[in-house]
Amino acid sequence: VQLVESGGGVVQSGGPLRLSCEASGFTLDDYAIVWFRQAPGKAGEGVACVSEGNTYYSASVKGRFTIFKDNAKNTVYLQMNSLKPDDTGVYYCAAEFPFVPSTAWTDPHEFDLWGQGTQVNVSS
């Protein structure tokens, strides 16, 4: 049972990037999935979550990032557009069965299963 992130890299400010979070050993659609990020010197931040068909976004990414599932591939994606240097960090996906409360999705303690992270660097 694991989550594996991919898709990170270096991108210029204003550019797009798509991250993937592939699940193995369980059916991802049965779970709430969140993307967190950790930037150097900053507190970790929940940026997007999908739970029971609902999606949630932090104010810092709303309108620029989209979280969506491909159940056939057992994968959750984070489409990131109009990237900014402040979006730089390590992005982690995490899962919790079967959902998380809408008021708690930004709390990393709500999620038991974590991926290893993928680095995103946005250059100015």
Side-chain angles (χ1 to χ4, degrees):
V1 177
Q2 65 176 352
L3 294 168
V4 178
E5 301 98 331
S6 61
V10 180
V11 61
Q12 287 191 330
S13 181
L17 201 62
R18 179 178 292 185
L19 305 183
S20 300
C21 171
E22 183 176 4
S24 61
F26 66 101
T27 302
L28 191 144
D29 194 38
D30 295 336
Y31 286 67
I33 305 296
V34 69
W35 284 96
F36 280 91
R37 66 185 178 193
Q38 180 68 58
K42 296 183 180 180
E45 178 187 16
V47 298
C49 177
V50 56
S51 178
E52 293 191 307
N54 299 306
T55 56
Y56 308 97
Y57 299 94
S58 67
S60 62
V61 308
K62 194 170 186 178
R64 300 188 298 123
F65 290 13
T66 303
I67 186 171
F68 62 98
K69 292 180 178 180
D70 184 336
N71 292 329
K73 295 183 178 180
N74 213 27
T75 299
V76 169
Y77 299 94
L78 185 68
Q79 177 66 43
M80 306 186 293
N81 297 328
S82 304
L83 281 162
K84 306 174 182 179
D86 282 350
D87 295 317
T88 292
V90 180
Y91 283 70
Y92 300 89
C93 65
E96 178 65 19
F97 180 83
F99 71 95
V100 292
S102 60
T103 55
W105 71 269
T106 58
D107 183 351
H109 297 99
E110 290 286 331
F111 298 87
D112 287 334
L113 182 62
W114 290 78
Q116 83 289 350
T118 186
Q119 178 73 45
V120 173
N121 290 311
V122 184
S123 61
S124 57

